């Protein structure tokens, strides 16, 4: 497949028409180059808070409350763009107020025929828990598409191995990871997690981050990250496991990282690789091997 990962620069759009034109232009740029799956980052929807009065867009809680009535039109535009260009599109995530009164961080996947499904972030960062009041969701979705079997793990979820393992056991070959990190160390944590999940499960993991500064937003104030595609370091793959990665950790204008990905070549490694991590995974839970040897004992 032709994969396009967005290194999304946060910009201030104070009028709805300007933001809508920006989003359409950005998607079109990737689609006309042949991209079949386009991925945008976590909380990319919050750029729409720039349309709010300064006292609201600068307030962490007021801005996400004011965002809620804007989300239906945003999702409608995302779906229309996926249909128009015949693409699969993950337009990033948004804080969504559910019927139970709880905010959850939700990502969507659209295909050429419309909405395929959604995925909530499962494990929340300290900022989300302690300052923002956004709670984790429940359950992992498997997206069956014409491109293959896909999964979504939002940012921090990539730092926990069992979520990716559950998706891999359901036949997912590619996990896409919309991310939003406000420090370089945060970016490297997500990158390290993505590379580890690719290695452990012998799958591909693709990351799309936010970048740039937005003094007008408490939520998107600082952003660092490189778009990247990661695979197992094995036969026929890059020795580093890094297929492609953005050159700079922050940029002023949004850019697409275009990558060709052959999922069958990665799947073949599960039978023919130099190592078989997918097969050997259960051995680490074998108590007859994995236990502490008591002092003075030879076993």
């Amino acid at each position: 497949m032709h994969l396009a990962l967005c290194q999304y620069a946060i910009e201030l759009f104070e009028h709805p028409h300007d933001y809508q034109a920006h989003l359409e232009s950005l998607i079109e740029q990737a689609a006309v180059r042949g991209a079949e799956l386009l991925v945008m980052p976590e909380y990319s929807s919050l750029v729409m808070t720039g349309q709010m009065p300064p006292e609201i867009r600068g307030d962490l809680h007021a801005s996400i409350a004011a965002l809620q009535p804007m989300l239906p039109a945003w999702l409608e535009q995302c779906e229309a763009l996926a249909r128009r260009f015949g693409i699969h599109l993950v337009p990033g995530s948004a804080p969504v107020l559910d019927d139970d009164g709880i905010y959850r961080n939700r990502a969507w996947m659209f295909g050429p025929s419309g909405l395929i499904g959604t995925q909530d972030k499962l494990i929340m960062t300290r900022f989300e828990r302690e300052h923002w009041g956004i709670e984790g969701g429940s359950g992992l979705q498997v997206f069956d598409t014409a491109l293959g079997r896909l999964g979504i793990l939002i940012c921090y979820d990539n730092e926990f191995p069992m979520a990716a393992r559950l998706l891999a056991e359901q036949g997912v070959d590619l996990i896409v990871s919309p991310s939003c990190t406000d420090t370089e160390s945060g970016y490297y944590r997500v990158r390290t997690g993505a590379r580890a999940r690719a290695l452990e499960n012998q799958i591909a993991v693709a990351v799309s981050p936010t970048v740039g500064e937005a003094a007008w937003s408490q939520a998107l104030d600082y952003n660092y990250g490189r778009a990247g595609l990661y695979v197992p370091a094995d036969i026929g793959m890059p020795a580093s496991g890094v297929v492609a990665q953005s050159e700079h950790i922050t940029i002023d204008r949004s850019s697409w990282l275009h990558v060709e990905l052959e999922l069958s070549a990665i799947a073949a490694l599960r039978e023919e690789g130099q190592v078989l991590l997918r097969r050997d995974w259960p051995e680490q839970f074998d108590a007859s091997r994995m236990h502490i040897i008591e002092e003075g004992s030879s076993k």
Side-chain angles (χ1 to χ4, degrees):
M1 73 175 77
H2 184 145
L3 182 63
L5 306 173
C6 194
Q7 189 183 24
Y8 188 62
I10 303 302
E11 298 182 64
L12 177 60
F13 298 100
E14 296 187 284
H15 300 286
H17 178 269
D18 292 338
Y19 170 76
Q20 292 162 5
H22 153 76
L23 182 60
E24 180 177 350
S25 174
L26 191 63
I27 299 301
E28 185 174 12
Q29 287 173 27
V32 296
R33 284 192 55 180
E36 298 170 282
L37 173 59
L38 289 69
V39 184
M40 295 183 66
E42 178 184 31
Y43 291 132
S44 57
S45 61
L46 290 178
V47 169
M48 290 189 292
T49 64
Q51 300 167 32
M52 303 170 187
E55 64 274 14
I56 295 179
R57 70 190 185 208
D59 184 298
L60 193 61
H61 297 96
S63 61
I64 63 170
L67 179 68
Q68 300 310 300
M70 305 171 74
L71 291 177
W74 176 66
L75 292 170
E76 183 177 336
Q77 183 184 14
C78 292
E79 181 169 2
L81 289 170
R83 290 178 181 272
R84 173 183 166 189
F85 293 111
I87 57 173
H88 291 76
L89 171 65
V90 178
S93 75
V96 176
L97 183 61
D98 282 329
D99 292 339
D100 58 5
I102 294 174
Y103 282 102
R104 294 183 176 87
N105 183 359
R106 183 162 299 148
W108 291 259
M109 182 177 289
F110 296 98
S113 298
L115 179 66
I116 299 175
T118 65
Q119 175 64 60
D120 288 350
K121 189 173 184 176
L122 303 181
I123 304 174
M124 313 311 290
T125 63
R126 290 192 64 189
F127 178 77
E128 288 168 310
R129 294 174 194 261
E130 299 171 18
H131 300 285
W132 220 348
I134 299 176
E135 298 188 16
S138 177
L140 289 162
Q141 300 289 334
V142 174
F143 301 90
D144 286 307
T145 75
L147 303 176
R149 203 158 221 218
L150 313 178
I152 299 174
L153 290 179
I154 301 173
C155 201
Y156 193 43
D157 284 347
N158 269 287
E159 298 177 36
F160 299 89
M162 297 312 298
R165 184 66 189 185
L166 287 173
L167 290 174
E169 289 175 348
Q170 293 300 312
V172 166
D173 288 310
L174 169 64
I175 291 173
V176 299
S177 178
S179 74
C180 179
T181 53
D182 61 0
T183 62
E184 288 193 39
S185 57
Y187 154 67
Y188 279 108
R189 285 195 298 270
V190 173
R191 179 182 184 267
T192 299
R195 295 182 70 183
R197 306 298 79 84
L199 175 69
E200 294 161 350
N201 297 293
Q202 296 181 288
I203 59 174
V205 180
V207 177
S208 167
T210 52
V211 293
E213 296 184 15
W216 49 270
S217 171
Q218 284 193 5
L220 296 173
D221 47 2
Y222 300 101
N223 303 266
Y224 299 91
R226 291 181 175 90
L229 176 63
Y230 309 106
V231 297
D234 209 324
I235 300 169
M237 301 294 147
S240 64
V242 180
V243 177
Q245 189 169 263
S246 301
E247 182 178 358
H248 302 289
I249 199 166
T250 188
I251 53 177
D252 295 328
R253 295 290 179 183
S254 298
S255 177
W256 291 100
L257 180 68
H258 288 266
V259 193
E260 295 292 335
L261 175 63
E262 187 178 347
L263 292 178
S264 61
I266 296 172
L269 295 175
R270 298 170 204 155
E271 300 293 334
E272 303 167 4
Q274 293 174 313
V275 289
L276 299 177
L277 286 97
R278 175 81 75 96
R279 182 201 67 185
D280 298 337
W281 173 271
E283 294 186 21
Q284 65 187 307
F285 304 108
D286 182 352
S288 68
R289 300 184 191 183
M290 299 293 180
H291 59 272
I292 301 299
I293 298 176
E294 298 295 334
E295 186 176 354
S297 172
S298 62
K299 294 184 179 180

